[in-house]
Structures are given as C-alpha cells and as structure tokens.
C-alpha cells in the first residue's frame, strides 16, 4: 500500500553487529521492530562507530524490558527518529499497548509500556481481583477487547486458567486474558512493566520482584546483560551478569547503593556471556542448571 518493502534479517546477523548494521544500510531500512536483545548487541559493542545506517526513522521495540542505557545509546545516534515501546503477549494476537518515548530517562529508570490501543483495554488487578488505579502499586496486567485469542489449541484446562470471566463485570459474559505479567502506573498514569508473576518471590519475609533487581543491576555502568534467578529450596537470590568492569565483589558493592538490603543477591555469577534463546531472551532454564 505504501510502496515499501520488507527486509528479512538473517538470524545469524543478530550475533554480528557489523553484518546487522550493514544489512540495514544496504537495504535502506527505515523502520525496525526488534526485541531489545538485538539492540543491546549493537550498543554493547558500540556498533555505530563502524557503521550508522542513515535511513532509520522509526525504531520499535518490545517483548522484553529495554535497558535505558541501551535506549540512550540509540537515541544519541538517532536523535530525530521516533522510538516506540510496545507490549503484548502472543495470546492477544499482537500488541495491546504502546508508548512513544518522548522524554529522557535515567539509567535507573524504566521506560513505560504506555497506554492501550483502541481495540484493547488494559488494566491491573490485585490479588483480590480488585482494580488498581493508584500509582506505584503492583498488580497483574489483564487485557480485554477484540484482540483476545480464542484460547490454546486442544488445551481446555490451560485456556480456562487464564482466559477467564472479567471479575469486574458480573452482568454478562466478558472474557479477559490474565497475562501473568506484573505492572504498575507511574505518576503520569502510564503503565510500567515490572516483572513476570513467576518472578515475584517471597524472601526474608519480603515480597520481591526479581525484575527490579535486574533493572538495578542493568543500570550499572559497564554492565552488558543481567538475569536474576531465585533458588526456591535454599531461598537464595542468584544474579548472573556480563561485564568487563566488575567482579563479584565490586558488583555487589555497587548494588548495595541501589537496592534495599533484603533485595541484594546472595550469590553473584560473572559470565562471559549469558545463554540466550532463539528469540534473543536470556535462557533462564539454562541458568538454573548452573546453580
């Protein structure tokens, strides 16, 4: 319709920043929609020093949290481009929220996932299925609207578990999808992704979001990639990280200035590279096997 074309990036290029950026330049790519892991590969190795594709105008990212350090590197190199954070589980057949990143963020802040698209309604429920409206109160992200899938193929039990009747509507049938993701509203009433519900743990009598520990660690200068794992049996928090600037003692000391004491990792694991899944996300199962 617009007279454009679609460039399919070979998967292996996402491990080789120079080839990735050369592809964007050669094919005159104007818009990308990537997971942050792919963008982190470019920022970690300062790829734009070698080549800076000159046609990029719109940069869309989602599927996982975007480290602000990585975003700021791209923004410095593309100050006039439009940056958009999107959010949406597969079960809503696309994306349901977006945030046009129109202001600066510090390395220790989180970029919001924003507001719902017109065909969706996105809201937070607490553990008692009550709606959350106030800022900085964490709840489960729930979605309703025409975007919902019908359910999981040939899996009624799994479908019935998360595609449920809207607890806020006792008047007529209305399905919602419980994402299993945790979020909160900021002071601007924008939705902010916090963590997976699976990553919320009880430790030393406190409820902890592992995602908040990851955000704090990722904000440290010189930290390339991080992942936090909770060892349930021994009640220990493990932090796996990639960095040339820190050893375990220095990384722990830096985190002491950014986290409450009960949130500090019990074990630190410096790695040359964290294992990744095919979609670029950290392979948490592989890291659990390292414990």
């Amino acid at each position: 319709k617009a007279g454009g074309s679609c460039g399919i990036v070979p998967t292996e290029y996402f491990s080789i920043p120079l080839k990735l950026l050369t592809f964007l330049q050669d094919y005159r790519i104007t818009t990308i929609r990537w997971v942050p892991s792919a963008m982190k590969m470019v920022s970690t190795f300062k790829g734009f020093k070698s080549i800076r594709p000159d046609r990029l105008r719109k940069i869309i990212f989602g599927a996982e949290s975007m480290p602000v350090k990585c975003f700021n590197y791209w923004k410095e190199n593309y100050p006039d481009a439009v940056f958009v954070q999107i959010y949406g589980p597969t079960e809503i057949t696309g994306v349901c929220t977006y945030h046009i990143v129109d202001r600066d963020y510090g390395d220790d802040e989180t970029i919001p996932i924003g507001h719902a698209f017109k065909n969706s309604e996105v809201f937070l429920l607490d553990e008692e299925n009550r709606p959350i409206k106030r800022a900085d109160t964490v709840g489960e992200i729930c979605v309703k609207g025409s975007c919902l899938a019908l359910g999981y193929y040939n899996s009624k039990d799994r479908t019935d578990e998360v595609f449920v009747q809207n607890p806020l509507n006792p008047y007529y049938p209305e399905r919602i999808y419980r994402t299993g993701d945790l979020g909160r509203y900021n002071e601007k009433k924008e939705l902010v992704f916090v963590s997976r519900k699976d990553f919320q743990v009880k430790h030393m009598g406190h409820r902890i979001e592992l995602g908040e520990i990851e955000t704090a660690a990722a904000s440290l200068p010189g930290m390339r990639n991080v992942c936090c794992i909770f060892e349930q049996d021994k009640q220990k928090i493990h932090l796996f990280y990639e960095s040339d600037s820190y050893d375990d003692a220095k990384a722990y000391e830096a985190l002491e200035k950014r986290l409450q004491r009960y949130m500090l990792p019990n074990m630190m694991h410096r790695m040359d590279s964290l294992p990744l899944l095919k979609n670029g996300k950290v392979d948490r199962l592989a890291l659990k096997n390292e414990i």
Side-chain angles (χ1 to χ4, degrees), residues 73-254:
Y73 177 75
W74 280 74
K75 184 65 176 176
E76 288 167 8
N77 284 275
Y78 291 96
D80 298 323
V82 176
F83 288 82
V84 185
Q85 165 114 321
I86 56 175
Y87 164 83
T90 303
E91 289 85 349
I92 56 90
T93 61
V95 293
C96 55
T97 74
Y98 71 98
H99 173 65
I100 298 174
V101 189
D102 56 359
R103 60 184 186 270
D104 296 331
Y105 289 89
D107 287 349
D108 58 346
E109 294 184 284
T110 302
I111 298 173
I113 57 177
H115 301 282
F117 284 101
K118 289 183 178 180
N119 68 329
S120 309
E121 184 176 336
V122 181
F123 54 98
L124 299 178
L125 293 178
D126 66 14
E127 294 179 346
E128 304 299 324
N129 283 332
R130 295 173 301 198
I132 293 174
K133 301 291 186 182
R134 58 191 178 277
D136 294 325
T137 301
V138 175
E140 183 175 10
I141 300 174
C142 298
V143 187
K144 70 174 184 176
S146 60
C147 57
L148 263 64
L150 296 177
Y152 298 107
Y153 178 74
N154 200 29
S155 183
K156 184 179 186 302
D157 290 344
R158 191 179 175 202
T159 297
D160 292 344
E161 182 180 351
V162 293
F163 289 91
V164 300
Q165 170 65 24
N166 183 1
L168 305 179
N169 179 6
Y171 307 108
Y172 54 85
E174 183 182 46
R175 294 165 70 247
I176 67 169
Y177 172 63
R178 306 190 71 120
T179 67
D181 291 334
L182 298 174
R184 60 177 175 81
Y185 296 110
N186 62 19
E187 295 298 332
K188 296 179 179 291
K189 298 184 179 180
E190 298 161 333
L191 187 60
V192 178
F193 176 85
V194 173
S195 179
R196 281 288 300 167
K197 199 173 181 180
D198 302 341
F199 302 160
Q200 186 182 71
V201 301
K202 197 74 173 292
H203 181 57
M204 297 176 61
H206 298 274
R207 193 179 298 278
I208 296 173
E209 317 292 348
L210 297 182
E212 292 185 0
I213 301 175
E214 292 176 347
T215 298
S219 70
L220 296 174
M223 195 67 76
R224 291 196 299 270
N225 206 359
V226 300
C227 183
C228 206
I229 300 290
F230 185 64
E231 188 179 9
Q232 185 69 46
D233 295 344
K234 297 183 179 179
Q235 289 286 295
K236 290 187 180 296
I237 299 171
H238 295 256
L239 181 70
F240 294 84
Y241 67 98
E242 296 175 26
S243 177
D244 296 326
S245 306
Y246 297 94
D247 57 20
D248 292 347
K250 287 182 178 179
Y252 185 88
E253 184 180 350

Side-chain angles (χ1 to χ4, degrees), residues 22-83:
T22 300
F23 179 94
L24 298 185
Q25 180 69 5
D26 290 347
Y27 284 83
R28 298 185 295 178
I29 301 297
T30 60
T31 301
I32 57 173
R33 177 176 165 179
W34 287 354
V35 295
S37 299
M39 298 174 67
K40 281 194 290 185
M41 186 67 66
V42 175
S43 63
T44 297
F45 293 99
K46 307 300 180 187
F48 294 132
K49 287 185 177 180
S50 301
I51 181 172
R52 179 188 172 279
D54 57 15
R55 299 295 185 97
L56 275 181
R57 298 290 180 268
K58 187 177 292 183
I59 298 165
I60 305 168
F61 49 90
E64 60 187 22
S65 296
M66 165 63 84
V68 176
K69 283 191 302 185
C70 173
F71 166 77
N72 285 337
Y73 177 75
W74 280 74
K75 184 65 176 176
E76 288 167 8
N77 284 275
Y78 291 96
D80 298 323
V82 176
F83 288 82

